[in-house]
Amino acid sequence: MQQDNQPQNENKQQLPAIVINNQYIKDFSLEIPYAPEIFKEIKKNPEVSVDVNVDVKSLEDNYFNVDLLFSINGDAESKKFFIIELTYSAVVQLNVPQEHVEPVLMIEIPRMLFPFARQIITTSLTEAGLPPFMLNPIDFALLYQAKKQSAHGKN
């Protein structure tokens, strides 16, 4: 009887838990407002502030669009050295239990996208003639928890 069950099990194809169908740059901007004069004025490394956010939109069935949003500001002395904004996105399909959907979308998918977004930011800044800059890894679980606590605090 097990032999009869084998073909049925083989016909049931196991879907992967996460499928990234597409990754893309949704929006990108790099400004050096005081160029070229600012390059002469730089005496030390700029102070850099990094703001990161994750946004999720349901598309259809178990398909979602996940946006990883970066806003990075570099200040040198009393002037704005650079401003970079990037929205790096992915269309993903999830085949996970419902209770895991939100954490996967808000933690795991951004974790998977981060290296690609970091490469875009690093390469763009270097190509723009700015000092090398490497984003440190981001704890998306902590970011997710903070967002959930903030949402609960508003209610």
Side-chain angles (χ1 to χ4, degrees):
M1 283 218 326
Q2 263 186 329
Q3 289 178 346
D4 291 337
N5 287 341
Q6 287 291 336
Q8 285 180 336
N9 289 341
E10 287 175 16
N11 289 339
K12 288 184 180 179
Q13 209 172 15
Q14 184 68 25
L15 295 172
I18 299 171
V19 177
I20 296 181
N21 292 299
N22 196 3
Q23 290 180 220
Y24 59 99
I25 297 172
K26 188 179 220 176
D27 188 27
F28 179 75
S29 171
L30 171 60
E31 298 174 48
I32 308 172
Y34 295 101
E37 295 83 11
I38 192 81
F39 294 115
K40 293 187 290 185
E41 297 175 18
I42 301 299
K43 305 289 187 242
K44 61 180 183 172
N45 286 337
E47 290 184 28
V48 178
S49 65
V50 178
D51 185 36
V52 180
N53 206 346
V54 178
D55 191 30
V56 175
K57 180 181 172 189
S58 180
L59 299 176
E60 59 185 45
D61 298 326
N62 55 344
Y63 286 85
F64 301 87
N65 189 83
V66 179
D67 292 335
L68 189 50
L69 302 103
F70 292 88
S71 179
I72 304 171
N73 287 280
D75 296 313
E77 308 297 320
S78 61
K79 287 186 179 176
K80 184 65 62 189
F81 188 25
F82 68 87
I83 304 162
I84 190 165
E85 294 175 344
L86 171 66
T87 302
Y88 192 73
S89 305
V91 175
V92 299
Q93 178 185 11
L94 297 185
N95 300 298
V96 298
Q98 188 60 39
E99 65 270 14
H100 297 300
V101 168
E102 185 176 284
V104 168
L105 290 170
M106 299 296 291
I107 299 168
E108 293 307 318
I109 301 300
R111 190 177 291 156
M112 295 167 82
L113 297 178
F114 178 76
F116 300 99
R118 176 170 57 184
Q119 183 63 40
I120 292 165
I121 291 167
T122 301
T123 301
S124 299
L125 290 171
T126 303
E127 292 293 324
L130 301 172
F133 175 75
M134 179 66 77
L135 275 173
N136 288 326
I138 296 168
D139 186 344
F140 289 102
L142 188 62
L143 189 67
Y144 172 63
Q145 290 169 351
K147 195 171 190 175
K148 283 192 71 86
Q149 285 177 350
S150 175
H152 286 322
K154 290 179 183 176
N155 294 335

